[in-house]
Amino acid sequence: MDSNLQKLCAERLDNVLKQKKIRQVDIAKELNLTPQYINYLCKGTRQISYETAYKISRICCVRMEYLLGLDDIITQPTIRDFTTKELLQEIERRCN
């Protein structure tokens, strides 16, 4: 992971934790990691693994792709967020 992407991941993780009002120590405990390691991730000192990004995304209800800097969409839209026409377009898009 290049340094710009690592910095973006760190900023996004830090912002998500702040928005969700989740303390670094609490998510560290939940993931069986050290608070220092979570702090390193939030500062961009360490690179986040796919496994850790996945676990954090599940806890924080955000997309893993967002945390990894691969996408700018924070949360996965639910069916209720779509009109019927949009839902059909989305299904068609995913099938092609």
Side-chain angles (χ1 to χ4, degrees):
M1 182 180 291
D2 80 14
S3 62
N4 289 333
L5 186 56
Q6 188 168 327
K7 182 179 177 185
L8 177 63
C9 294
E11 289 172 2
R12 287 183 173 189
L13 174 59
D14 193 46
N15 288 336
V16 164
L17 293 178
K18 286 176 181 174
Q19 285 177 346
K20 302 287 183 174
K21 297 182 173 130
I22 299 173
R23 298 181 313 157
Q24 291 180 12
V25 68
D26 294 331
I27 198 149
K29 187 175 183 179
E30 183 71 25
L31 298 173
N32 200 25
L33 299 169
T34 65
Q36 183 179 22
Y37 180 71
I38 298 297
N39 186 263
Y40 288 153
L41 294 177
C42 289
K43 288 183 176 180
T45 307
R46 296 273 162 69
Q47 181 177 325
I48 193 168
S49 69
Y50 290 115
E51 180 182 358
T52 301
Y54 175 78
K55 290 176 180 178
I56 292 172
S57 74
R58 307 288 15 118
I59 292 168
C60 296
C61 299
V62 297
R63 297 181 70 229
M64 182 179 84
E65 293 86 348
Y66 174 78
L67 287 178
L68 293 173
L70 303 174
D71 198 337
D72 291 331
I73 301 170
I74 297 174
T75 58
Q76 188 71 16
T78 63
I79 290 176
R80 290 183 295 267
D81 294 335
F82 288 107
T83 64
T84 303
K85 181 179 178 183
E86 291 170 331
L87 181 58
L88 292 172
Q89 289 172 341
E90 181 66 14
I91 291 168
E92 184 177 318
R93 184 185 69 78
R94 290 183 185 194
C95 292
N96 290 331

